[in-house]
Amino acid sequence: MGKIRVTNIRVYAYHGCLSEETAIGSDYNVDVEITAELSKSARSDKLSDTVDYVLLNRIVKEEMAIPSALLETVCERILVRFFDEEALIQEATVSVSKLNPPIGGDVERVTVERTKVK
């Protein structure tokens, strides 16, 4: 087993419960970590034997482009796609952070993290 992390994927998106959030949008950071059997790829040195982090990044960007009221929903969609599109993944964690959220205070970020196991 092994882990692959893709950290600090920067995205501009339109998530939130307030109409301004879905109209104006804001900056987000997404972190993903997957657990998979990486022994074969460690020996073969072939991309086809591992989880391609380009795929993980593409899924994140595509799902972040779909507006949602809740970050929990965005995390769920990303996790479902990971498992649907890559059979090697055994466990995945996704963290979505909204930077400078409009919550009436000086807050750097709000983060929702979800984990799924195969």
Side-chain angles (χ1 to χ4, degrees):
M1 286 296 204
K3 293 186 184 290
I4 295 174
R5 292 182 190 91
V6 184
T7 307
N8 201 23
I9 302 168
R10 292 177 289 281
V11 181
Y12 197 85
Y14 300 86
H15 306 300
C17 295
L18 304 175
S19 59
E20 308 87 60
E21 293 176 293
T22 55
I24 298 168
S26 59
D27 291 308
Y28 293 82
N29 287 343
V30 181
D31 297 324
V32 301
E33 177 179 289
I34 63 95
T35 301
E37 181 52 62
L38 302 178
S39 299
K40 184 176 181 182
S41 60
R43 290 187 306 275
S44 73
D45 199 30
K46 293 182 181 176
L47 182 59
S48 60
D49 291 335
T50 192
V51 178
D52 187 352
Y53 50 79
V54 173
L55 171 70
L56 302 177
N57 185 59
R58 180 177 52 79
I59 290 171
V60 166
K61 288 185 174 185
E62 289 173 0
E63 293 303 324
M64 287 295 291
I66 302 168
S68 294
L70 299 178
L71 298 181
E72 291 88 331
T73 304
V74 180
C75 287
E76 179 67 15
R77 285 198 319 260
I78 293 169
L79 288 165
V80 166
R81 291 243 349 244
F82 282 177
F83 285 99
D84 284 351
E85 296 185 31
E86 180 48 72
L88 290 175
I89 296 175
Q90 297 297 312
E91 181 176 332
T93 299
V94 175
S95 300
V96 177
S97 299
K98 179 183 281 192
L99 307 181
N100 303 309
I103 60 174
D106 185 13
V107 177
E108 180 181 340
R109 71 182 67 219
V110 173
T111 303
V112 171
E113 179 177 289
R114 301 223 31 244
T115 300
K116 274 191 179 278
V117 178
K118 193 174 205 177

